[in-house]
Amino acid sequence: MNTSFYFVLLLFALSNKRYNFAKIFLCCAVLQRSIDMDFRTGANKTNERVHLEPSQLREKHISSFQGESEEKEKDTNSEILVANFSNIYASDLLPTRNGEELTDQFLLEVVEILLNYIKKTYDGKSKVLDFHHPHQLLEGLEGFSLELRDQPEPLEQILVDCRDTLKYGVKTGHPRYFNQLSSGLDIVGLAGEWLSAAANTNMFTYEIAPVFVVMEEILLKKMHEMVGWGETDADGIFSPGGTISNLYSVLVARYKRFPEIKTKGMAALPHIALFVSEHSHYSVKKAAAVLGIGTDNVIAVKCDERGKMIPSDLEAKILKVKRQDHIPLYVSATAGTTVYGAFDPLDNIADICEKYGLWIHVDAAWGGGLLMSRKHSFKLNGIERANSVTWNPHKLMGVPLQCSAFLVCEKGLLQACNQMCAGYLFQPDKQYDTTYDTGDKTIQCGRHVDVFKLWLMWKAKGTRGFEILINKSLELAEYLYKELNSRENFELVFDAEPELTNVCFWYIPPNLRRIPNGPEREKLLHQVAPKIKARMIEEGTTMVSYQPHGDKVNFFRMVFSNPATRKSDVDFLLEEIERLGKDL
Amino acid sequence: MNTSFYFVLLLFALSNKRYNFAKIFLCCAVLQRSIDMDFRTGANKTNERVHLEPSQLREKHISSFQGESEEKEKDTNSEILVANFSNIYASDLLPTRNGEELTDQFLLEVVEILLNYIKKTYDGKSKVLDFHHPHQLLEGLEGFSLELRDQPEPLEQILVDCRDTLKYGVKTGHPRYFNQLSSGLDIVGLAGEWLSAAANTNMFTYEIAPVFVVMEEILLKKMHEMVGWGETDADGIFSPGGTISNLYSVLVARYKRFPEIKTKGMAALPHIALFVSEHSHYSVKKAAAVLGIGTDNVIAVKCDERGKMIPSDLEAKILKVKRQDHIPLYVSATAGTTVYGAFDPLDNIADICEKYGLWIHVDAAWGGGLLMSRKHSFKLNGIERANSVTWNPHKLMGVPLQCSAFLVCEKGLLQACNQMCAGYLFQPDKQYDTTYDTGDKTIQCGRHVDVFKLWLMWKAKGTRGFEILINKSLELAEYLYKELNSRENFELVFDAEPELTNVCFWYIPPNLRRIPNGPEREKLLHQVAPKIKARMIEEGTTMVSYQPHGDKVNFFRMVFSNPATRKSDVDFLLEEIERLGKDL
């Protein structure tokens, strides 16, 4: 029965002055209404939107949790869940017959947990992390046991586990999380990942991933265009991370010069050498180890004080290798080094590569995003002369992990280098254009769909939207640089305006300022950053990375890539470092 | 104002016989209630659960869409969206100030699309796919343009794009999708992926992925135990797919015997050889190409009619290599071949490896799941003698893509083989046990969180839950085998009970049955499967793969790994093949 029905009867009774009947109908209406009330605060509030569920869900969140401690919140929530899922198991969900409703309810409970987490992530006042040691997690924490059993656990427990997994993790989207080159939590990108997970397919053939395979082609063309290669010969692949993308570059460069490598191996090749700068990422060395080239054959080229490769040293080292009758094969120039955020002089390096016939790869994993910015893209001038490029949208562009593109200028090389023509996967007698079966271009077989989130973000932001975010991150780096210059307890590792968002600095505690420069002070300074970082993690207020580099003792490396970060967060970081380190 | 307020006034007026006032209050209550009605069908229905949103969302779905065509549904939905998101952009979402509500609404709209997709996926009557050629997708379909622009598009368009991406994709969880070894859409696994996406972190250090790193250790220990190695020396890594896991096996085997490979490269090594069966996956050859060993040095060992490696041929080939003064280094035995689903005789192969000092790897990417089944695990007897194992939970165990484990018996090898000790990532002076910084064990740097979904599914199902699913898939394979034996238009590629869920067969159209065995019939039969498959894809009713193999012309390979599949779906497949192929 609907309350409206009783209202009609009530009106009828009133208009006929049958007041006793009217009272009965009114009681019925009230009773019915109390059944309809949903036991839920705020469910009947007026709402301006056509779709009410989202905000109702949100209102419920707020009304249940606002102003309560994290511990209390967890308990409240657990109690509610007991009513729902304590006797329900995974086997009750789809594909079990009639499992539809429970499936929806379960997934929406999970989503509610995630929405709550997202809000906390963006709440600058919440903690970045709630640190526990490995042995504590292994032993189990307040009902959070990681142990796996023979018997299933009810979905209620699964939901509690989801909440606990997030609780004891790190909020990498928090405005004060500065620990890695990848940070932030883009909402459209997240939606893209959720959809990719539901689509649950594999990039190896067009047959089973038609839309995603075409999206990959479109993204690669777009990125080629931005690199400055033109569209025609677009080739490349999205790979599981920048290190694998850089591995592809060495693999393809080697194959291009010595195609016999594929069948005969390194035994058929002369002694080859690869060149990278001292400041480059370790991935080229790793590739040399994996590919059977050997790390000894990766020659480190000197950098200037700012961390940029010195072209004359590159040329000298190429000549030295040639004098040893070895083959200088490949240079990896970095556009945005990991620690200093430096850009190697690409044009000068390309000149040398042309002169001596070397493959030039540009590792723009970190700095590639600047190609989106009309203001900053000049820093990558010369990239159009590269033979291959690594560019990770999961870094400066804020795409969820992982999303790394390996781009190669010459079409067909990847395919020739890697194809094995497995009959069970790449049947040549399919009814569609099998050049879209891209799986044989890769060193993988199955490949995760990493393109959709990037494609969706690009649609939602436009190139200009990425530009705005990236420019903003660079402004924050400039702001930090100026702040550091003006504060007496901080010292810059190198005094130059940031080219990317990296800013490297020491905090000098008062006690240390009294000690003159020299080995004693260096030794003490080396211990400052780790101690502050340890305290920072224990308190969970912010996260920033530190490292030694070359002859420099441990220093902090700040990077910006999170659109949630504001100047006040930068101020907070500096004050927090002072607060945590002033007694050292 | 709340309706209850007017009810109280109404009651008061009635009890005091102020009927005109009563009428006014009643009108107010009715008016207020109409405002509260949420414009939403079914919103006020009684519901037994404490949490109403999930089922309300579902009810709305049903009431809007039930009984309507796909096209209509899309239009209906689009109209609703116009009201919501036509003037709202990604830049209005978090981290924009006050973006919380819109963020929730947007994500819940996406989730609604996904829940609808999940229901369709599990609905046997829906199509598996809606096929379009690459050029059609590139040109754009009914408002679905893949093109990327400078300017942002409103979130309304983004939601439409999400719906279209799914519409033109392939439902890999559909009960009649049999195309790959990975199929199905596990709900708890999906929830795990959604959470991993929201956590958006990286497996390289404990610092930023504490819970996930510990979960990986727990999973590896559990899998070690099931392989039969015992817990103590558990080592391994989750990698982006079985091919990369198999690459790890060759990499580690080579390093174990020749640690100088890392620095000196293949130039410092003698001529080495790897052994795999004719029926093995192409990944070992791919690894040989990548690692600089060369595909010529991968020796194919003969198989019997059932697809199992012949140990005497392995031994003969090892001896032949030794006579050439090459070093036989490594054997990859397969536990569940890709096409036939065959298990190599692991114990016999292990005997030979022990005798000649070869590394034995077991590629159980596909068959590893059987270790979960007390009934079928004997098929992997001998796996406990392996030096390393590949096991992909994303195949038989139904974990969402990707989830592949590389397990290695000797602790520390992976680390020694791959570590580069990057100072910026693996600081030795951290405050916690840095052996949990697992990133230096891998050939990647950043690594996606692939463990959480598996961990969560294991919690939710228990080992016994996986066992039930796997046993059920094997029963379906047996059922299909018996059906094929009893139907005169089908022919088995090899007549043996399935050991895994692969069943290989030809469909012989009536016209072909009249032609005697011989090259003419073979030539025609070779064209049958591709033609049927092309029609199948055009109609979108089901999907099964085909391939030639050795001297066998194109045949269908059925595999079961989807818990949604029932015997009726098997019957459907056979009838559909007959329907589509009887005129060939």
Side-chain angles (χ1 to χ4, degrees):
Chain A
M1 281 297 170
N2 190 302
T3 40
S4 313
F5 174 76
Y6 294 112
F7 280 128
V8 172
L9 289 176
L10 178 60
L11 270 172
F12 187 78
L14 282 172
S15 62
N16 290 288
K17 305 201 174 177
R18 304 281 179 124
Y19 302 119
N20 284 335
F21 281 110
K23 281 182 199 168
I24 292 167
F25 294 140
L26 185 67
C27 288
C28 289
V30 170
L31 192 69
Q32 183 64 48
R33 191 177 160 75
S34 79
I35 294 169
D36 292 352
M37 278 284 287
D38 302 356
F39 310 102
R40 189 161 42 82
T41 324
N44 293 322
K45 288 209 186 112
T46 312
N47 194 295
E48 296 155 12
R49 295 196 179 279
V50 177
H51 276 192
L52 277 196
E53 306 77 19
S55 61
Q56 282 179 347
L57 203 60
R58 207 184 67 82
E59 273 170 24
K60 179 182 156 285
H61 258 296
I62 291 169
S63 62
S64 322
F65 306 150
Q66 223 166 29
E68 293 182 337
S69 75
E70 199 156 322
E71 210 40 52
K72 183 90 178 290
E73 172 197 323
K74 198 185 139 193
D75 291 341
T76 317
N77 233 347
S78 303
E79 269 171 52
I80 295 169
L81 295 171
V82 173
N84 270 327
F85 289 109
S86 57
N87 287 312
I88 293 169
Y89 290 85
S91 55
D92 298 318
L93 303 177
L94 284 173
T96 300
R97 270 181 229 273
N98 303 321
E100 294 192 357
E101 185 167 346
L102 281 175
T103 298
D104 279 6
Q105 293 209 10
F106 170 71
L107 286 175
L108 281 164
E109 288 288 345
V110 172
V111 168
E112 207 180 319
I113 291 167
L114 299 179
L115 294 181
N116 194 28
Y117 175 75
I118 292 166
K119 268 188 285 287
K120 269 199 205 151
T121 289
Y122 280 116
D123 174 10
K125 286 170 220 104
S126 74
K127 278 189 170 191
V128 177
L129 78 163
D130 181 4
F131 181 78
H132 290 82
H133 284 279
H135 69 88
Q136 292 175 299
L137 284 170
L138 278 167
E139 287 155 12
L141 286 158
E142 304 164 54
F144 185 39
S145 160
L146 300 189
E147 206 190 319
L148 299 168
R149 306 210 178 110
D150 284 352
Q151 298 305 324
E153 304 203 24
L155 293 182
E156 179 210 339
Q157 182 60 44
I158 298 306
L159 292 168
V160 170
D161 288 339
C162 285
R163 205 171 286 109
D164 284 342
T165 298
L166 294 169
K167 178 173 156 60
Y168 298 114
V170 176
K171 297 193 192 81
T172 60
H174 193 287
R176 292 173 182 174
Y177 171 87
F178 309 109
N179 214 62
Q180 311 293 150
L181 304 185
S182 300
S183 67
L185 181 58
D186 187 88
I187 300 299
V188 174
L190 179 65
E193 274 294 71
W194 288 1
L195 185 144
S196 303
N200 193 31
T201 194
N202 203 311
M203 295 290 286
F204 45 49
T205 60
Y206 179 82
E207 189 169 308
I208 66 160
V211 183
F212 300 130
V213 163
V214 173
M215 280 175 182
E216 180 169 52
E217 182 176 281
I218 284 170
L219 284 165
L220 290 171
K221 278 189 176 169
K222 197 85 186 163
M223 293 170 93
H224 270 247
E225 203 186 303
M226 300 189 109
V227 163
W229 285 338
E231 272 201 12
T232 339
D233 286 325
D235 206 353
I237 206 88
F238 279 78
S239 91
T243 293
I244 300 289
S245 291
N246 285 341
L247 183 143
Y248 271 114
S249 73
V250 182
L251 189 66
V252 167
R254 179 175 72 173
Y255 177 79
K256 169 72 179 167
R257 181 89 162 255
F258 306 105
E260 62 273 27
I261 178 71
K262 190 170 171 182
T263 51
K264 307 280 173 215
M266 288 295 289
L269 265 60
H271 199 126
I272 61 173
L274 318 174
F275 301 83
V276 292
S277 89
E278 295 167 341
H279 278 247
S280 71
H281 189 261
Y282 65 80
S283 46
V284 173
K285 278 186 92 171
K286 202 157 230 180
V290 171
L291 303 180
I293 294 167
T295 53
D296 286 355
N297 299 308
V298 180
I299 317 290
V301 181
K302 279 187 189 149
C303 289
D304 62 20
E305 191 54 19
R306 179 64 185 83
K308 292 169 183 284
M309 188 192 278
I310 301 172
S312 59
D313 191 57
L314 171 64
E315 187 161 17
K317 284 186 169 145
I318 289 173
L319 290 170
K320 190 178 166 196
V321 159
K322 284 171 82 78
R323 281 195 300 274
Q324 293 165 327
D325 278 336
H326 298 173
I327 306 287
L329 179 78
Y330 161 106
V331 178
S332 173
T334 311
T337 58
T338 313
V339 179
Y340 281 20
F343 289 84
D344 286 343
L346 302 184
D347 259 325
N348 299 340
I349 294 169
D351 288 342
I352 295 169
C353 288
E354 262 175 32
K355 187 170 169 188
Y356 298 100
L358 278 75
W359 181 282
I360 174 168
H361 173 68
V362 176
D363 177 1
W366 173 220
L370 291 199
L371 293 170
M372 294 273 180
S373 164
R374 285 163 296 182
K375 186 173 171 192
H376 297 287
S377 62
F378 75 91
K379 294 168 186 171
L380 291 100
N381 278 352
I383 195 171
E384 71 283 358
R385 299 172 67 187
N387 297 102
S388 57
V389 167
T390 292
W391 176 357
N392 288 7
H394 71 215
K395 291 195 162 87
L396 206 56
M397 289 163 67
V399 178
L401 290 157
Q402 288 186 312
C403 190
S404 170
F406 171 66
L407 309 171
V408 57
C409 193
E410 184 178 330
K411 196 162 187 133
L413 259 186
L414 261 177
Q415 178 87 6
C417 176
N418 292 318
Q419 74 181 351
M420 293 288 151
C421 301
Y424 80 96
L425 209 48
F426 307 112
Q427 304 89 341
D429 42 13
K430 284 175 179 169
Q431 93 276 31
Y432 59 82
D433 178 358
T434 54
T435 59
Y436 283 87
D437 284 352
T438 55
D440 229 7
K441 283 158 74 170
T442 80
I443 63 166
Q444 302 179 264
C445 171
R447 190 159 57 100
H448 189 259
V449 177
D450 291 336
V451 292
F452 181 67
K453 55 195 167 191
L454 170 59
W455 180 87
L456 200 69
M457 281 175 69
W458 209 318
K459 272 240 159 185
K461 288 185 199 305
T463 314
R464 295 290 85 91
F466 281 119
E467 178 179 47
I468 291 166
L469 294 182
I470 287 163
N471 287 351
K472 206 192 130 210
S473 285
L474 277 128
E475 280 161 27
L476 285 173
E478 271 170 55
Y479 174 75
L480 171 60
Y481 167 73
K482 281 173 191 156
E483 277 298 306
L484 288 168
N485 252 333
S486 73
R487 293 185 190 220
E488 60 173 359
N489 293 331
F490 293 89
E491 216 171 88
L492 288 160
V493 172
F494 54 92
D495 192 3
E497 291 261 345
E499 295 187 343
L500 199 46
T501 75
N502 310 49
V503 182
C504 299
F505 62 92
W506 288 283
Y507 167 68
I508 320 284
N511 284 338
L512 229 70
R513 299 188 64 213
R514 292 179 209 116
I515 304 170
N517 283 345
E520 172 63 11
R521 187 178 182 270
E522 292 284 286
K523 197 184 147 197
L524 289 169
L525 184 57
H526 188 59
Q527 294 162 19
V528 170
K531 282 180 184 163
I532 292 176
K533 176 72 179 272
R535 291 174 178 183
M536 205 178 255
I537 283 186
E538 291 289 347
E539 301 210 11
T541 46
T542 179
M543 275 178 93
V544 58
S545 90
Y546 72 87
Q547 65 282 296
H549 203 273
D551 58 350
K552 317 272 198 242
V553 300
N554 277 324
F555 57 87
F556 289 112
R557 179 208 61 182
M558 263 294 279
V559 280
F560 297 93
S561 62
N562 186 348
T565 302
R566 301 199 169 88
K567 284 181 183 173
S568 57
D569 300 308
V570 179
D571 297 336
F572 176 87
L573 176 86
L574 295 181
E575 282 146 28
E576 188 67 359
I577 287 175
E578 285 208 274
R579 185 179 76 82
L580 295 169
K582 65 184 174 218
D583 66 332
L584 292 175
Chain B
M1 283 296 171
N2 191 302
T3 39
S4 313
F5 174 75
Y6 295 112
F7 280 129
V8 172
L9 290 176
L10 178 61
L11 269 171
F12 188 77
L14 281 173
S15 61
N16 290 288
K17 303 199 175 178
R18 304 283 180 122
Y19 301 118
N20 285 333
F21 281 110
K23 280 183 199 168
I24 293 166
F25 294 142
L26 185 66
C27 289
C28 290
V30 170
L31 193 68
Q32 183 64 48
R33 190 176 163 75
S34 79
I35 294 167
D36 293 351
M37 277 285 286
D38 302 356
F39 312 100
R40 189 160 43 84
T41 324
N44 291 322
K45 289 213 185 107
T46 312
N47 194 296
E48 296 156 12
R49 295 196 180 279
V50 176
H51 277 189
L52 278 194
E53 306 76 19
S55 61
Q56 283 179 347
L57 202 61
R58 207 184 68 83
E59 272 169 25
K60 181 183 153 288
H61 256 295
I62 291 169
S63 62
S64 320
F65 305 149
Q66 223 166 29
E68 293 181 336
S69 75
E70 199 157 322
E71 210 40 53
K72 183 90 178 291
E73 173 196 321
K74 198 185 139 192
D75 292 340
T76 316
N77 232 348
S78 303
E79 270 171 51
I80 295 170
L81 295 171
V82 173
N84 271 327
F85 290 110
S86 57
N87 288 311
I88 293 169
Y89 290 85
S91 55
D92 298 317
L93 304 177
L94 283 174
T96 300
R97 269 181 230 274
N98 304 322
E100 294 192 357
E101 186 168 346
L102 281 174
T103 299
D104 279 5
Q105 293 208 10
F106 170 71
L107 286 175
L108 281 164
E109 288 288 345
V110 172
V111 168
E112 208 180 318
I113 291 167
L114 299 179
L115 294 181
N116 195 28
Y117 175 75
I118 292 167
K119 268 189 284 288
K120 270 200 204 147
T121 289
Y122 279 117
D123 174 9
K125 285 170 221 105
S126 73
K127 277 188 170 191
V128 177
L129 79 163
D130 181 4
F131 181 77
H132 291 80
H133 284 279
H135 70 88
Q136 293 175 300
L137 284 170
L138 279 167
E139 287 155 12
L141 286 159
E142 304 165 50
F144 184 39
S145 158
L146 300 190
E147 207 191 320
L148 298 168
R149 306 209 177 112
D150 284 351
Q151 299 305 324
E153 304 204 24
L155 293 182
E156 180 210 338
Q157 183 60 43
I158 298 305
L159 291 168
V160 170
D161 288 339
C162 285
R163 204 171 289 109
D164 284 342
T165 298
L166 293 169
K167 178 174 157 58
Y168 298 113
V170 177
K171 298 193 192 80
T172 60
H174 193 287
R176 291 172 183 173
Y177 172 87
F178 309 110
N179 214 62
Q180 311 295 150
L181 304 185
S182 299
S183 67
L185 180 57
D186 187 88
I187 301 299
V188 174
L190 179 65
E193 274 295 70
W194 287 1
L195 185 144
S196 303
N200 192 30
T201 196
N202 203 311
M203 295 291 286
F204 46 47
T205 61
Y206 178 82
E207 188 170 308
I208 66 160
V211 183
F212 300 130
V213 163
V214 173
M215 280 174 180
E216 180 169 52
E217 181 175 282
I218 284 170
L219 284 165
L220 289 171
K221 278 190 177 169
K222 197 83 186 166
M223 293 170 92
H224 271 246
E225 203 186 302
M226 299 187 109
V227 162
W229 285 338
E231 272 201 12
T232 340
D233 286 325
D235 206 353
I237 206 87
F238 280 78
S239 91
T243 293
I244 299 289
S245 290
N246 285 341
L247 182 143
Y248 270 115
S249 73
V250 182
L251 189 65
V252 167
R254 179 175 71 173
Y255 177 79
K256 168 73 179 168
R257 181 89 162 256
F258 305 105
E260 62 273 28
I261 179 73
K262 189 171 172 181
T263 51
K264 307 280 173 215
M266 287 295 288
L269 267 58
H271 199 126
I272 60 172
L274 318 174
F275 301 83
V276 292
S277 89
E278 294 168 342
H279 278 246
S280 72
H281 189 260
Y282 66 81
S283 46
V284 173
K285 277 184 94 170
K286 202 157 231 181
V290 171
L291 302 180
I293 294 167
T295 53
D296 286 354
N297 299 308
V298 181
I299 316 290
V301 181
K302 279 188 189 148
C303 289
D304 63 20
E305 191 55 17
R306 179 64 185 83
K308 293 168 181 285
M309 187 191 278
I310 300 171
S312 59
D313 191 57
L314 171 64
E315 186 161 17
K317 284 185 169 146
I318 289 173
L319 289 171
K320 189 178 168 197
V321 159
K322 284 172 82 79
R323 281 195 300 274
Q324 292 165 327
D325 277 335
H326 299 172
I327 307 286
L329 179 79
Y330 161 105
V331 177
S332 173
T334 311
T337 58
T338 313
V339 180
Y340 281 20
F343 290 85
D344 287 342
L346 302 183
D347 259 324
N348 299 341
I349 294 168
D351 287 342
I352 295 168
C353 288
E354 261 175 34
K355 187 170 169 188
Y356 298 101
L358 279 74
W359 181 283
I360 172 168
H361 173 66
V362 175
D363 177 1
W366 174 220
L370 291 200
L371 292 170
M372 295 272 181
S373 164
R374 286 165 294 184
K375 187 174 170 191
H376 296 288
S377 63
F378 74 92
K379 293 168 186 172
L380 291 101
N381 278 352
I383 195 171
E384 70 284 357
R385 298 172 67 185
N387 297 103
S388 57
V389 167
T390 291
W391 174 358
N392 288 8
H394 71 215
K395 291 195 163 87
L396 205 55
M397 287 162 68
V399 178
L401 290 157
Q402 291 184 309
C403 190
S404 170
F406 171 65
L407 310 171
V408 57
C409 192
E410 186 179 328
K411 196 163 187 133
L413 259 186
L414 260 176
Q415 178 87 7
C417 177
N418 292 317
Q419 75 180 350
M420 293 289 151
C421 300
Y424 80 96
L425 210 48
F426 307 112
Q427 303 89 342
D429 43 13
K430 284 175 179 169
Q431 92 276 31
Y432 59 82
D433 177 358
T434 54
T435 59
Y436 283 87
D437 284 353
T438 55
D440 230 6
K441 283 158 74 170
T442 80
I443 61 166
Q444 302 179 262
C445 171
R447 190 159 57 100
H448 189 259
V449 177
D450 291 336
V451 291
F452 180 67
K453 55 196 166 190
L454 170 58
W455 180 86
L456 200 68
M457 281 175 68
W458 208 318
K459 272 239 162 184
K461 289 185 200 304
T463 314
R464 293 290 85 90
F466 281 119
E467 178 179 48
I468 290 166
L469 294 181
I470 288 163
N471 287 351
K472 204 191 131 209
S473 286
L474 277 129
E475 280 160 27
L476 284 173
E478 270 171 56
Y479 174 75
L480 171 61
Y481 167 73
K482 281 175 191 156
E483 277 298 306
L484 288 167
N485 251 334
S486 73
R487 293 185 190 220
E488 60 173 359
N489 293 331
F490 293 89
E491 215 171 89
L492 288 160
V493 172
F494 54 91
D495 192 4
E497 291 261 344
E499 295 187 343
L500 198 45
T501 74
N502 310 48
V503 182
C504 299
F505 62 92
W506 289 283
Y507 167 68
I508 320 285
N511 283 337
L512 230 71
R513 298 188 63 211
R514 292 182 208 115
I515 304 171
N517 282 346
E520 172 63 11
R521 187 179 181 270
E522 292 284 286
K523 198 184 146 195
L524 290 168
L525 184 57
H526 189 59
Q527 296 163 17
V528 170
K531 283 180 182 164
I532 292 175
K533 176 72 179 272
R535 291 174 178 184
M536 204 178 257
I537 283 186
E538 290 289 346
E539 301 211 9
T541 46
T542 179
M543 276 180 92
V544 58
S545 89
Y546 72 87
Q547 65 281 299
H549 203 273
D551 59 351
K552 317 273 198 241
V553 300
N554 276 324
F555 56 87
F556 289 112
R557 179 208 62 181
M558 264 293 280
V559 280
F560 297 93
S561 61
N562 185 347
T565 303
R566 301 200 170 88
K567 283 182 183 172
S568 57
D569 300 308
V570 179
D571 296 336
F572 176 87
L573 175 85
L574 296 181
E575 281 146 28
E576 188 67 359
I577 288 176
E578 285 208 273
R579 184 179 77 82
L580 296 168
K582 64 183 173 216
D583 66 332
L584 293 175

